[in-house]
Amino acid sequence: MLDALCKCCLVEEAEVMFKRVKSKIKPNSDTYNILFFGWCRVRNPTRGMCVLEDMIKMGHTPENFTYNTAIDTFCKAGMLTEAAELLEFMKTKGSTMSSPTAKTYAIMMVALVQNDRMNDCFKILADMIDSGCLPDVSTYKELIEGMCSCGKIEAAYKFLQEMGRTGYPPDIVTYNCFLKVLCDNKDSDEALKLYKKMIDVGCMPSVQTYNILILMFFRIGDPEGAFETWNEMDRRGCPRDTDTYCVMIEGLFGCSNTRDAMYLLEQVINRGMKLPYKKFDTFLMQLSAVGDLQAIHRLSEHMRKFYNPAMARRFALNQKRKSMSLRGK
């Protein structure tokens, strides 16, 4: 009942009911968490903190997740001072279960960046490292996404530099996370700038780097950029994987470059590459729209090497029928 009221944002009513029955039914940590998250849901962190304090007084230890939610709520409500105080409380009075994690620090740092407090952000970063809580991939990802989402691209670059200066240089996974955010935002100029920076600092792009770039170029309607990236892989000696072919073929079909798409599909078949079944499905439908029965047959035969023959044959026959129907036969 308490949980239902809180989920409906009727937290005042939930608290009234809680006070009425707590003398008869002893509340546990789950009870306090429900109320706490209820106040967070309605963006009232002050009342939420009162619940948290009562919870501690009653001998219950809030878990790290509870504290992280509180800090996130404070930050979203613009109460950065209260968030910082709670973070300090976690460090000084929290138990092992509730000591700050990389996630906790990331929430705080993103909020500081969004409020143009870069110096404070770097202080938190230094404090994080000094406490022995080392940043992981998810930390980088959250920080970079948070910075980019509010247009703080330069702040993200500065963050990468600071990490290198403090002895924890970003690796290829971190750069790819940053690149993906830029590419998802279709910011090709910044994406290429980051790509060049990776090379300048000696962090060689991976096949995932190129796959992300190729996908971006097709999304922004620049197939020439996709081809240039494809050729760049040869120049850099980076072997293409299945995803590279899938992204390229799908992109070529999408921009009506059927000839090159079918050429790459032929390479896939000749090299004996196993594509995900959904991609086989997609490419067969594209070939069906083109009306190339021979290509449909070749691709379906290739599918049979990796998937249930009956399923592959049934799907290929369906595509042939559709193709003939489209051509009016």
Side-chain angles (χ1 to χ4, degrees):
M1 185 66 179
L2 202 67
D3 188 43
L5 287 170
C6 288
K7 285 180 177 176
C8 292
C9 297
L10 300 172
V11 192
E12 291 279 3
E13 290 81 352
E15 190 158 278
V16 169
M17 187 182 77
F18 168 72
K19 290 177 179 177
R20 188 185 305 148
V21 301
K22 71 175 182 179
S23 59
K24 301 175 184 177
I25 303 174
K26 186 178 180 180
N28 57 19
S29 58
D30 290 337
T31 312
Y32 286 103
N33 276 330
I34 289 169
L35 272 176
F36 170 73
F37 290 132
W39 286 119
C40 290
R41 185 186 294 270
V42 296
R43 298 293 179 87
N44 193 331
T46 305
R47 296 286 290 273
M49 279 305 298
C50 291
V51 173
L52 206 58
E53 289 169 2
D54 288 343
M55 181 179 181
I56 295 170
K57 286 178 184 177
M58 294 300 294
H60 300 293
T61 303
E63 295 183 357
N64 183 274
F65 176 74
T66 306
Y67 280 115
N68 285 353
T69 303
I71 290 175
D72 190 41
T73 303
F74 280 139
C75 290
K76 287 177 179 176
M79 302 170 69
L80 297 186
T81 302
E82 289 80 358
E85 289 174 354
L86 184 54
L87 176 62
E88 188 62 29
F89 178 86
M90 290 178 71
K91 291 189 292 182
T92 56
K93 299 180 181 179
S95 66
T96 305
M97 289 178 63
S98 58
S99 57
T101 62
K103 171 77 173 178
T104 316
Y105 285 106
I107 293 170
M108 195 71 211
M109 285 189 281
V110 169
L112 290 169
V113 170
Q114 290 173 341
N115 285 271
D116 294 317
R117 293 172 58 178
M118 283 300 298
N119 290 335
D120 290 332
C121 173
F122 290 134
K123 286 178 184 177
I124 294 287
L125 176 62
D127 183 53
M128 174 184 178
I129 295 171
D130 290 342
S131 69
C133 182
L134 302 181
D136 54 15
V137 173
S138 63
T139 311
Y140 284 118
K141 186 174 183 293
E142 285 189 42
L143 279 167
I144 290 168
E145 285 180 348
M147 292 172 181
C148 293
S149 66
C150 61
K152 308 286 186 181
I153 305 296
E154 288 304 318
Y157 280 116
K158 193 173 180 181
F159 172 74
L160 293 182
Q161 292 172 357
E162 183 68 13
M163 288 305 303
R165 190 187 67 78
T166 53
Y168 297 93
D171 58 9
I172 184 62
V173 177
T174 308
Y175 276 111
N176 281 347
C177 285
F178 193 176
L179 186 68
K180 188 175 186 308
V181 173
L182 295 173
C183 289
D184 286 346
N185 292 336
K186 299 181 181 179
D187 193 340
S188 57
D189 291 338
E190 287 295 340
L192 292 175
K193 177 182 173 182
L194 180 63
Y195 170 74
K196 291 174 183 175
K197 181 177 177 60
M198 291 170 63
I199 296 172
D200 290 342
V201 299
C203 184
M204 288 300 103
S206 66
V207 64
Q208 286 78 23
T209 309
Y210 293 108
N211 293 348
I212 292 168
L213 286 170
I214 290 171
L215 182 59
M216 177 198 68
F217 281 120
F218 279 120
R219 283 177 174 171
I220 64 175
D222 183 7
E224 290 302 318
F227 275 115
E228 178 60 28
T229 306
W230 178 273
N231 294 329
E232 175 77 357
M233 295 180 76
D234 288 330
R235 290 192 290 269
R236 293 283 173 187
C238 181
R240 303 179 184 97
D241 64 4
T242 303
D243 286 340
T244 315
Y245 276 90
C246 287
V247 170
M248 197 70 182
I249 293 169
E250 199 162 16
L252 290 170
F253 273 127
C255 65
S256 302
N257 188 343
T258 307
R259 183 177 63 84
D260 287 333
M262 292 177 67
Y263 173 76
L264 290 182
L265 262 180
E266 193 66 25
Q267 284 191 15
V268 167
I269 295 171
N270 292 337
R271 296 181 182 188
M273 298 173 68
K274 179 183 178 181
L275 301 181
Y277 191 82
K278 284 188 176 181
K279 293 301 178 183
F280 273 126
D281 186 334
T282 300
F283 298 151
L284 280 171
M285 285 192 287
Q286 293 287 354
L287 293 173
S288 177
V290 173
D292 193 327
L293 300 183
Q294 184 178 358
I296 291 174
H297 176 72
R298 273 185 56 74
L299 188 57
S300 63
E301 287 298 307
H302 184 61
M303 286 173 68
R304 293 178 63 183
K305 298 176 184 177
F306 307 105
Y307 299 103
N308 183 293
M311 180 172 64
R313 179 174 174 75
R314 184 168 61 252
F315 188 85
L317 287 173
N318 286 337
Q319 296 309 311
K320 285 183 179 180
R321 292 192 191 100
K322 289 179 184 178
S323 177
M324 294 176 72
S325 174
L326 287 170
R327 293 189 300 166
K329 292 184 178 181

